[in-house]
Amino acid sequence: MFIIGELINGMYQNIAKALKEKNKAVIQECALEQVKAGADALDVNCGPGSRDPVSDMQWLVETIQEVTDKPLALDSSKPKVIEAGLKALKHKGVINSTTADPEKLEILVPLAKSYAAKLIGLCISSKGIPQNKDQRMDLAATIVAYCSEQRFPIEDLYLDPIVMPVNVAQAQMKDILESIREFKIISDPSPKTIVGLSNVSQGTCARSLVNRTFVTMAVAQGLDGAILDPKDTDLMDALITAELILNKQIYCDKYLDAYRKK
Ligand code: THG
């Protein structure tokens, strides 16, 4: 499972404050804690309050790279912000994300190719968030078709079905989960799949329980990656155990320790 730590996001007050004050220590500690907790990569999002996201993205990337070599997932809806992040990267990264809109694909797919970055494709377009599985499949197929045409390696494409909060879209959860499995049959080689996990529990009580139950069900559908809070140990334990049960991790009496020592 490709685990992207979600905590460096200007949506969080501590990060927004550190970004405003250019306080490196707060960002670097957040990066290191997530890596220690098992993150394979770190999401980097300037948040809605950033007045200059291009220079904030560059500063965040440079600041994080002073303490870790883990890949960074440049999270912005603005291609210019993503490009600023790519220019500052020392190692291969992740573009988070393109939509299925041609104007996004035309800029971001060539950028992903030239920086050898992985690409997250959100199953969404300017027409809005899909309302059912067929619409998700259509958007996913549009993204895969464009990437194939442009000879972007499909193994580096992560399709995101767009996870909605269960308290606003309860009737869609089954479709979202099933899309994860069905995205795999769009092409050979198959695209990979990823979710922004914490979306599912936004505004709910018992967030951690909702997150870990959803992730377990998504792993059963073949999920390849998740943007999540790696410091939530119960969540990480559920994820590792789900992979164990699907024979994706070796079984031993201390499998949680074994996984963490990898
Ligand atoms: N797909 C992709 N990228 C994404 C998302 C996605 N990036 C952003 C987001 N969704 C994933 N990251 C988060 C980060 C935090 C929260 C949810 C998703 C979150 N934050 C608290 C909240 O809103 O309640 C903030 C709490 C606080 O202010 O301290 O839930 O879906 N590709």
Side-chain angles (χ1 to χ4, degrees):
M1 177 71 52
F2 185 48
I3 295 170
I4 305 182
E6 73 181 6
L7 298 174
I8 303 181
N9 189 317
M11 192 198 292
Y12 292 103
Q13 268 177 18
N14 66 326
I15 300 296
K17 185 162 177 277
L19 192 52
K20 214 168 163 192
E21 296 167 355
K22 297 289 176 285
N23 181 340
K24 284 189 177 182
V26 170
I27 304 294
Q28 291 174 339
E29 190 188 348
C30 184
L32 289 174
E33 281 177 356
Q34 292 186 86
V35 171
K36 192 167 163 229
D40 302 306
L42 301 173
D43 200 58
V44 185
N45 184 318
C46 305
S50 166
R51 277 196 224 124
D52 185 355
V54 165
S55 80
D56 282 349
M57 177 59 87
Q58 185 191 339
W59 180 80
L60 280 171
V61 167
E62 286 167 2
T63 301
I64 299 163
Q65 288 182 143
E66 285 176 17
V67 296
T68 178
D69 290 339
K70 291 284 180 196
L72 303 182
L74 310 166
D75 187 353
S76 172
S77 57
K78 301 187 181 78
K80 284 216 154 19
V81 176
I82 288 174
E83 193 169 6
L86 287 168
K87 281 186 185 147
L89 283 182
K90 284 198 232 158
H91 310 283
K92 286 181 194 174
V94 182
I95 292 181
N96 186 13
S97 47
T98 182
T99 64
D101 294 306
E103 61 271 24
K104 281 288 192 74
L105 289 165
E106 282 160 14
I107 301 175
L108 293 167
V109 174
L111 272 180
K113 255 181 95 173
S114 62
Y115 284 88
K118 295 185 201 297
L119 177 64
I120 297 177
L122 293 183
C123 294
I124 191 171
S125 73
S126 51
K127 290 190 201 131
I129 297 176
Q131 296 299 318
N132 57 45
K133 194 163 64 183
D134 279 355
Q135 290 173 5
R136 286 191 160 78
M137 293 305 289
D138 274 356
L139 292 162
T142 302
I143 297 171
V144 172
Y146 190 85
C147 289
S148 305
E149 262 168 47
Q150 300 297 314
R151 309 213 173 282
F152 177 78
I154 298 299
E155 314 83 83
D156 287 342
L157 174 65
Y158 283 75
L159 291 174
D160 182 333
I162 306 266
V163 173
M164 305 285 296
V166 64
N167 64 359
V168 295
Q170 191 177 357
Q172 280 214 48
M173 291 296 126
K174 195 163 168 272
D175 269 11
I176 294 171
L177 285 163
E178 287 174 7
S179 332
I180 293 170
R181 177 166 303 280
E182 292 188 23
F183 286 165
K184 294 274 170 192
I185 57 177
I186 293 176
S187 77
D188 183 10
S190 291
K192 294 198 166 71
T193 54
I194 193 161
V195 293
L197 182 64
S198 302
N199 301 5
V200 74
S201 64
Q202 263 174 334
T204 69
C205 311
R207 287 198 68 170
S208 173
L209 176 61
V210 173
N211 288 341
R212 66 183 181 267
T213 304
F214 184 89
V215 90
T216 305
M217 296 173 82
V219 168
Q221 299 287 338
L223 186 72
D224 299 294
I227 304 162
L228 51 71
D229 175 2
K231 287 166 69 183
D232 181 341
T233 323
D234 289 338
L235 169 63
M236 291 294 279
D237 287 357
L239 186 59
I240 297 162
T241 307
E243 291 213 300
L244 173 86
I245 288 169
L246 286 179
N247 197 27
K248 291 183 174 176
Q249 303 290 341
I250 277 191
Y251 179 77
C252 58
D253 287 333
K254 291 213 158 76
Y255 69 90
L256 290 174
D257 291 344
Y259 178 89
R260 294 206 161 92
K261 285 199 187 107
K262 268 200 322 194

Short mmCIF file of all heavy atoms in Angstrom, two decimals, residues 224-259:
data_model
loop_
_atom_site.label_atom_id
_atom_site.label_comp_id
_atom_site.label_asym_id
_atom_site.label_seq_id
_atom_site.Cartn_x
_atom_site.Cartn_y
_atom_site.Cartn_z
N ASP A 224 -4.81 0.49 -3.93
CA ASP A 224 -3.34 0.50 -3.99
C ASP A 224 -2.70 1.60 -3.15
O ASP A 224 -1.51 1.52 -2.85
CB ASP A 224 -2.87 0.73 -5.44
CG ASP A 224 -3.35 -0.36 -6.37
OD1 ASP A 224 -2.91 -1.51 -6.20
OD2 ASP A 224 -4.17 -0.07 -7.26
N GLY A 225 -3.44 2.66 -2.85
CA GLY A 225 -2.83 3.78 -2.13
C GLY A 225 -3.86 4.56 -1.34
O GLY A 225 -5.06 4.49 -1.63
N ALA A 226 -3.41 5.30 -0.32
CA ALA A 226 -4.34 6.13 0.46
C ALA A 226 -3.61 7.36 0.99
O ALA A 226 -2.46 7.27 1.41
CB ALA A 226 -4.94 5.32 1.60
N ILE A 227 -4.33 8.48 0.95
CA ILE A 227 -3.85 9.70 1.59
C ILE A 227 -4.54 9.70 2.95
O ILE A 227 -5.78 9.71 3.01
CB ILE A 227 -4.26 10.93 0.75
CG1 ILE A 227 -3.72 10.80 -0.67
CG2 ILE A 227 -3.77 12.23 1.40
CD1 ILE A 227 -4.39 11.71 -1.68
N LEU A 228 -3.76 9.63 4.01
CA LEU A 228 -4.38 9.43 5.33
C LEU A 228 -3.47 9.98 6.43
O LEU A 228 -2.36 10.47 6.16
CB LEU A 228 -4.68 7.94 5.56
CG LEU A 228 -3.56 6.90 5.33
CD1 LEU A 228 -2.47 6.96 6.38
CD2 LEU A 228 -4.15 5.51 5.31
N ASP A 229 -3.99 9.90 7.68
CA ASP A 229 -3.20 10.32 8.84
C ASP A 229 -2.42 9.11 9.36
O ASP A 229 -2.99 8.27 10.06
CB ASP A 229 -4.15 10.87 9.92
CG ASP A 229 -3.39 11.20 11.20
OD1 ASP A 229 -2.14 11.05 11.24
OD2 ASP A 229 -4.04 11.62 12.18
N PRO A 230 -1.12 9.02 9.04
CA PRO A 230 -0.37 7.83 9.46
C PRO A 230 -0.13 7.79 10.96
O PRO A 230 0.25 6.74 11.49
CB PRO A 230 0.96 7.96 8.69
CG PRO A 230 1.11 9.43 8.43
CD PRO A 230 -0.28 10.00 8.33
N LYS A 231 -0.39 8.91 11.65
CA LYS A 231 -0.19 8.93 13.11
C LYS A 231 -1.36 8.27 13.84
O LYS A 231 -1.30 8.07 15.06
CB LYS A 231 0.01 10.36 13.59
CG LYS A 231 1.39 10.91 13.19
CD LYS A 231 1.49 12.40 13.33
CE LYS A 231 1.48 12.84 14.78
NZ LYS A 231 1.50 14.32 14.88
N ASP A 232 -2.43 7.94 13.10
CA ASP A 232 -3.54 7.21 13.70
C ASP A 232 -3.17 5.72 13.71
O ASP A 232 -3.31 5.01 12.72
CB ASP A 232 -4.81 7.47 12.86
CG ASP A 232 -6.04 6.76 13.43
OD1 ASP A 232 -5.87 5.80 14.21
OD2 ASP A 232 -7.15 7.16 13.08
N THR A 233 -2.67 5.26 14.86
CA THR A 233 -2.14 3.90 14.95
C THR A 233 -3.22 2.84 14.73
O THR A 233 -2.97 1.81 14.11
CB THR A 233 -1.48 3.67 16.33
OG1 THR A 233 -0.83 4.86 16.71
CG2 THR A 233 -0.47 2.56 16.29
N ASP A 234 -4.42 3.10 15.24
CA ASP A 234 -5.51 2.12 15.04
C ASP A 234 -5.80 1.97 13.55
O ASP A 234 -6.06 0.87 13.06
CB ASP A 234 -6.79 2.57 15.76
CG ASP A 234 -6.67 2.46 17.27
OD1 ASP A 234 -5.81 1.68 17.75
OD2 ASP A 234 -7.41 3.16 17.98
N LEU A 235 -5.76 3.09 12.85
CA LEU A 235 -6.01 3.06 11.40
C LEU A 235 -4.91 2.28 10.68
O LEU A 235 -5.20 1.41 9.85
CB LEU A 235 -6.08 4.51 10.88
CG LEU A 235 -6.08 4.70 9.36
CD1 LEU A 235 -7.31 4.06 8.73
CD2 LEU A 235 -6.04 6.19 9.02
N MET A 236 -3.66 2.58 11.02
CA MET A 236 -2.54 1.88 10.37
C MET A 236 -2.60 0.38 10.68
O MET A 236 -2.36 -0.44 9.81
CB MET A 236 -1.20 2.47 10.83
CG MET A 236 -0.95 3.88 10.31
SD MET A 236 -0.76 3.97 8.51
CE MET A 236 0.94 3.45 8.36
N ASP A 237 -2.96 0.03 11.92
CA ASP A 237 -3.06 -1.39 12.28
C ASP A 237 -4.15 -2.09 11.46
O ASP A 237 -3.97 -3.22 10.99
CB ASP A 237 -3.35 -1.56 13.78
CG ASP A 237 -2.14 -1.24 14.65
OD1 ASP A 237 -1.06 -0.95 14.08
OD2 ASP A 237 -2.27 -1.26 15.88
N ALA A 238 -5.29 -1.40 11.28
CA ALA A 238 -6.39 -1.99 10.49
C ALA A 238 -5.95 -2.21 9.04
O ALA A 238 -6.23 -3.24 8.44
CB ALA A 238 -7.61 -1.08 10.55
N LEU A 239 -5.22 -1.22 8.52
CA LEU A 239 -4.76 -1.30 7.13
C LEU A 239 -3.78 -2.46 6.94
O LEU A 239 -3.90 -3.25 6.00
CB LEU A 239 -4.08 0.04 6.81
CG LEU A 239 -3.61 0.33 5.41
CD1 LEU A 239 -4.77 0.27 4.45
CD2 LEU A 239 -3.00 1.73 5.37
N ILE A 240 -2.83 -2.56 7.84
CA ILE A 240 -1.82 -3.63 7.75
C ILE A 240 -2.51 -5.00 7.89
O ILE A 240 -2.21 -5.94 7.16
CB ILE A 240 -0.72 -3.44 8.84
CG1 ILE A 240 0.03 -2.12 8.63
CG2 ILE A 240 0.24 -4.63 8.85
CD1 ILE A 240 0.82 -1.64 9.84
N THR A 241 -3.47 -5.08 8.81
CA THR A 241 -4.15 -6.37 9.04
C THR A 241 -5.01 -6.74 7.83
O THR A 241 -5.07 -7.91 7.43
CB THR A 241 -4.99 -6.31 10.33
OG1 THR A 241 -4.14 -5.87 11.39
CG2 THR A 241 -5.58 -7.67 10.69
N ALA A 242 -5.66 -5.74 7.22
CA ALA A 242 -6.46 -6.01 6.02
C ALA A 242 -5.56 -6.57 4.92
O ALA A 242 -5.93 -7.51 4.22
CB ALA A 242 -7.16 -4.73 5.55
N GLU A 243 -4.36 -6.00 4.78
CA GLU A 243 -3.44 -6.49 3.75
C GLU A 243 -2.92 -7.89 4.09
O GLU A 243 -2.70 -8.71 3.20
CB GLU A 243 -2.26 -5.52 3.58
CG GLU A 243 -2.70 -4.21 2.96
CD GLU A 243 -1.63 -3.60 2.09
OE1 GLU A 243 -0.55 -3.31 2.64
OE2 GLU A 243 -1.87 -3.43 0.89
N LEU A 244 -2.75 -8.15 5.37
CA LEU A 244 -2.32 -9.48 5.81
C LEU A 244 -3.37 -10.52 5.40
O LEU A 244 -3.06 -11.56 4.83
CB LEU A 244 -2.15 -9.47 7.34
CG LEU A 244 -1.86 -10.82 7.96
CD1 LEU A 244 -0.38 -11.10 7.92
CD2 LEU A 244 -2.36 -10.88 9.38
N ILE A 245 -4.64 -10.18 5.67
CA ILE A 245 -5.72 -11.13 5.39
C ILE A 245 -5.85 -11.38 3.89
O ILE A 245 -6.21 -12.47 3.46
CB ILE A 245 -7.03 -10.62 6.05
CG1 ILE A 245 -6.90 -10.80 7.57
CG2 ILE A 245 -8.27 -11.36 5.51
CD1 ILE A 245 -7.95 -10.12 8.39
N LEU A 246 -5.49 -10.38 3.09
CA LEU A 246 -5.52 -10.58 1.62
C LEU A 246 -4.20 -11.16 1.09
O LEU A 246 -3.96 -11.15 -0.11
CB LEU A 246 -5.82 -9.26 0.92
CG LEU A 246 -7.26 -8.79 1.02
CD1 LEU A 246 -7.44 -7.46 0.32
CD2 LEU A 246 -8.20 -9.82 0.42
N ASN A 247 -3.36 -11.62 2.00
CA ASN A 247 -2.09 -12.26 1.63
C ASN A 247 -1.13 -11.29 0.94
O ASN A 247 -0.33 -11.68 0.11
CB ASN A 247 -2.36 -13.49 0.73
CG ASN A 247 -1.17 -14.42 0.66
OD1 ASN A 247 -0.36 -14.47 1.60
ND2 ASN A 247 -1.03 -15.15 -0.43
N LYS A 248 -1.24 -10.00 1.31
CA LYS A 248 -0.31 -9.01 0.74
C LYS A 248 0.83 -8.71 1.71
O LYS A 248 1.74 -7.96 1.38
CB LYS A 248 -1.05 -7.72 0.38
CG LYS A 248 -2.00 -7.89 -0.78
CD LYS A 248 -2.65 -6.58 -1.16
CE LYS A 248 -3.49 -6.73 -2.41
NZ LYS A 248 -4.20 -5.50 -2.73
N GLN A 249 0.73 -9.20 2.93
CA GLN A 249 1.81 -9.08 3.92
C GLN A 249 2.08 -10.48 4.45
O GLN A 249 1.17 -11.29 4.52
CB GLN A 249 1.40 -8.19 5.11
CG GLN A 249 0.98 -6.79 4.74
CD GLN A 249 2.13 -5.94 4.26
OE1 GLN A 249 3.29 -6.26 4.50
NE2 GLN A 249 1.82 -4.87 3.54
N ILE A 250 3.33 -10.70 4.84
CA ILE A 250 3.68 -12.01 5.39
C ILE A 250 3.06 -12.19 6.78
O ILE A 250 3.03 -11.25 7.57
CB ILE A 250 5.22 -12.14 5.46
CG1 ILE A 250 5.71 -12.57 4.08
CG2 ILE A 250 5.68 -13.06 6.56
CD1 ILE A 250 7.14 -13.00 4.03
N TYR A 251 2.51 -13.39 7.06
CA TYR A 251 1.99 -13.63 8.39
C TYR A 251 3.08 -14.12 9.32
O TYR A 251 3.82 -15.05 9.02
CB TYR A 251 0.85 -14.68 8.41
CG TYR A 251 0.40 -14.88 9.83
CD1 TYR A 251 -0.41 -13.93 10.44
CD2 TYR A 251 0.88 -15.93 10.61
CE1 TYR A 251 -0.75 -14.04 11.77
CE2 TYR A 251 0.53 -16.05 11.94
CZ TYR A 251 -0.28 -15.09 12.52
OH TYR A 251 -0.62 -15.17 13.84
N CYS A 252 3.18 -13.47 10.46
CA CYS A 252 4.00 -14.00 11.56
C CYS A 252 3.33 -13.49 12.83
O CYS A 252 2.47 -12.61 12.76
CB CYS A 252 5.45 -13.53 11.45
SG CYS A 252 5.63 -11.75 11.44
N ASP A 253 3.70 -14.02 13.99
CA ASP A 253 2.99 -13.61 15.21
C ASP A 253 3.15 -12.13 15.48
O ASP A 253 2.29 -11.50 16.07
CB ASP A 253 3.49 -14.43 16.41
CG ASP A 253 2.96 -15.86 16.33
OD1 ASP A 253 1.88 -16.04 15.73
OD2 ASP A 253 3.62 -16.77 16.85
N LYS A 254 4.27 -11.55 15.03
CA LYS A 254 4.48 -10.12 15.27
C LYS A 254 4.41 -9.36 13.95
O LYS A 254 5.27 -8.55 13.63
CB LYS A 254 5.85 -9.92 15.94
CG LYS A 254 5.91 -10.46 17.37
CD LYS A 254 6.83 -9.59 18.18
CE LYS A 254 6.59 -9.65 19.62
NZ LYS A 254 6.86 -10.52 20.52
N TYR A 255 3.37 -9.61 13.17
CA TYR A 255 3.34 -9.02 11.82
C TYR A 255 3.28 -7.50 11.84
O TYR A 255 3.81 -6.85 10.95
CB TYR A 255 2.19 -9.62 10.98
CG TYR A 255 0.81 -9.23 11.44
CD1 TYR A 255 0.19 -8.10 10.94
CD2 TYR A 255 0.13 -10.00 12.37
CE1 TYR A 255 -1.08 -7.73 11.36
CE2 TYR A 255 -1.13 -9.65 12.80
CZ TYR A 255 -1.73 -8.51 12.30
OH TYR A 255 -2.97 -8.15 12.73
N LEU A 256 2.64 -6.90 12.87
CA LEU A 256 2.58 -5.42 12.90
C LEU A 256 3.99 -4.85 13.08
O LEU A 256 4.39 -3.92 12.38
CB LEU A 256 1.67 -4.93 14.03
CG LEU A 256 0.17 -5.17 13.83
CD1 LEU A 256 -0.60 -4.77 15.08
CD2 LEU A 256 -0.38 -4.42 12.63
N ASP A 257 4.75 -5.45 14.01
CA ASP A 257 6.14 -5.01 14.21
C ASP A 257 6.95 -5.24 12.95
O ASP A 257 7.74 -4.40 12.54
CB ASP A 257 6.81 -5.80 15.35
CG ASP A 257 6.21 -5.46 16.70
OD1 ASP A 257 5.52 -4.43 16.77
OD2 ASP A 257 6.42 -6.24 17.65
N ALA A 258 6.74 -6.43 12.34
CA ALA A 258 7.51 -6.77 11.15
C ALA A 258 7.24 -5.75 10.04
O ALA A 258 8.16 -5.27 9.37
CB ALA A 258 7.15 -8.17 10.67
N TYR A 259 5.98 -5.38 9.88
CA TYR A 259 5.63 -4.39 8.84
C TYR A 259 6.32 -3.06 9.12
O TYR A 259 6.88 -2.43 8.24
CB TYR A 259 4.10 -4.19 8.81
CG TYR A 259 3.68 -3.15 7.79
CD1 TYR A 259 3.40 -3.52 6.47
CD2 TYR A 259 3.58 -1.80 8.13
CE1 TYR A 259 3.03 -2.58 5.54
CE2 TYR A 259 3.21 -0.86 7.20
CZ TYR A 259 2.93 -1.25 5.90
OH TYR A 259 2.57 -0.30 4.97
#
